[in-house]
């Protein structure tokens, strides 16, 4: 997870109806995230050759008031996976901004260090993100930046003027704080000119999360609201 400060005005056109931008310590964040789907099932069904794959996404953070509860969630700008069928289903069924590109990943772990890299090929060129950490993963502290980035348990997607809401369940992760990170990509071509300034800077932070089993729960009618 590479985390960057961004001008809220850059994100405002992407904020779904009924939500508002969330911030930590007065800073609005956008994150480039790479991870693996493993043993994936959709509505309880595991599709052959489509259960284990990579994803790289650009996301930002919002919140929504539901009664007396603030639901903190994420919104995706673009999600890349290596399987065209996965991208097509995600676009058609969930309205998520998926696209399919050739992808690969590499995880190197020693007693002293961990390095994780995700790469995708676009326009004949390989682009990538990577983070290195050291030592053992640590517990996420309450009120920390790591908690803000990882502990968003809702997802929101604009759907033709309405908004879909889904819930994400996973245990609290442990993380390695990044000691070195890189984003090697044509930012304008990948995400658009509006993100060039933010994503061309050094990230405010970078870290690696252990990961865990994850459940995504869609509510009635995909949780649509205005």
């Amino acid at each position: 997870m590479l985390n960057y400060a961004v001008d809220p005005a850059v994100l405002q056109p992407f904020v779904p109806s009924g939500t508002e931008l969330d911030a930590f310590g007065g800073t609005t964040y956008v994150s480039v995230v790479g991870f693996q789907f493993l043993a994936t099932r959709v509505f309880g069904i595991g599709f052959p050759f489509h259960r284990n794959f990579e994803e790289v996404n650009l996301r930002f953070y919002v919140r929504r008031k539901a009664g007396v509860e603030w639901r903190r969630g994420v919104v995706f700008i673009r999600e890349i996976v290596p399987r065209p069928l996965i991208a097509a289903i995600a676009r058609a069924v969930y309205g998520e901004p998926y696209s399919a590109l050739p992808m690969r990943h590499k995880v190197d772990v020693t007693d002293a260090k961990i390095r994780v890299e995700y790469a995708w090929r676009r326009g004949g060129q390989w682009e990538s993100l990577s983070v290195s950490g050291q030592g053992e993963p640590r517990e996420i502290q309450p009120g920390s930046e790591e908690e803000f980035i990882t502990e968003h348990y809702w997802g929101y997607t604009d759907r033709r003027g309405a908004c879909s809401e889904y819930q994400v369940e996973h245990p609290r992760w442990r993380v390695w704080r990044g000691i070195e990170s890189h984003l090697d990509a044509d930012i304008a071509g990948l995400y658009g000119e509006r993100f060039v300034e933010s994503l061309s800077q050094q990230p405010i932070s970078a870290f690696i999360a252990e990961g865990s089993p994850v459940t995504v729960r869609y509510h009635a009618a995909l949780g649509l609201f205005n």
Side-chain angles (χ1 to χ4, degrees), residues 202-222:
Q202 285 296 312
I204 291 178
S205 65
F207 45 86
I208 302 167
E210 277 188 312
S212 67
V214 175
T215 300
V216 178
R217 300 189 185 280
Y218 277 83
H219 295 263
L222 290 180

Side-chain angles (χ1 to χ4, degrees), residues 24 72 137-151 172-175 177:
F24 177 77
R72 298 173 59 220
R138 66 185 187 185
E139 302 291 337
I140 292 175
Q141 298 301 308
S144 66
E145 182 196 42
E146 289 98 334
E147 182 183 59
F148 175 80
I149 296 295
T150 62
E151 301 294 301
R172 198 174 179 91
W173 293 329
R174 298 190 303 170
V175 299
R177 190 77 179 189

